[in-house]
Amino acid sequence: MPKDSRPRRLLALATDNWLARGYLGVCAASLGAAFLFPESLFASAHLLLTAPLSTMVMVLPFGPGTEGGGPAQALALAFSAGWLLLSALVNAAAVGALSRHIRDSRAARHA
């Protein structure tokens, strides 16, 4: 039986329990709130929810708000959106793995 690929395992960990799916839902809701209410206090909540991985992109010399027109700005926004999605998936996978570990250790203790 072939092993699953890493992206498939990451996606499975990020979506296989209600806690990880709830985290992804909260991230999606906070991103929606940032688009709907850009002046509110919750506009940057998606960055805090996906930290620490999402904050690593801040050291790169490109991203939203960089100088340049058209294609450079579109590429920077696409990269930032992809990085934010990857950060949310990695954090959801960590939450899912932790939840699975706690569930398995409780089951082993009560067996």
Side-chain angles (χ1 to χ4, degrees):
M1 177 168 27
K3 289 230 178 223
D4 284 339
S5 65
R6 284 187 185 181
R8 185 172 291 221
R9 284 185 283 167
L10 177 74
L11 192 60
L13 277 175
T15 59
D16 75 340
N17 62 34
W18 64 270
L19 196 59
R21 286 189 303 263
Y23 170 80
L24 287 175
V26 168
C27 286
S30 71
L31 191 60
F35 281 114
L36 292 175
F37 309 107
E39 299 296 323
S40 73
L41 293 173
F42 300 111
S44 61
H46 60 279
L47 293 174
L48 293 174
L49 286 170
T50 56
L53 194 58
S54 66
T55 58
M56 291 174 58
V57 79
M58 289 181 192
V59 299
L60 298 176
F62 55 88
T66 56
E67 297 296 322
Q73 187 70 18
L75 182 65
L77 283 170
F79 176 77
S80 296
W83 189 259
L84 189 69
L85 175 64
L86 179 67
S87 300
L89 284 175
V90 167
N91 284 352
V95 168
L98 182 61
S99 175
R100 180 182 288 179
H101 174 72
I102 291 171
R103 182 190 66 215
D104 292 345
S105 66
R106 283 184 181 172
R109 197 174 345 144
H110 293 294

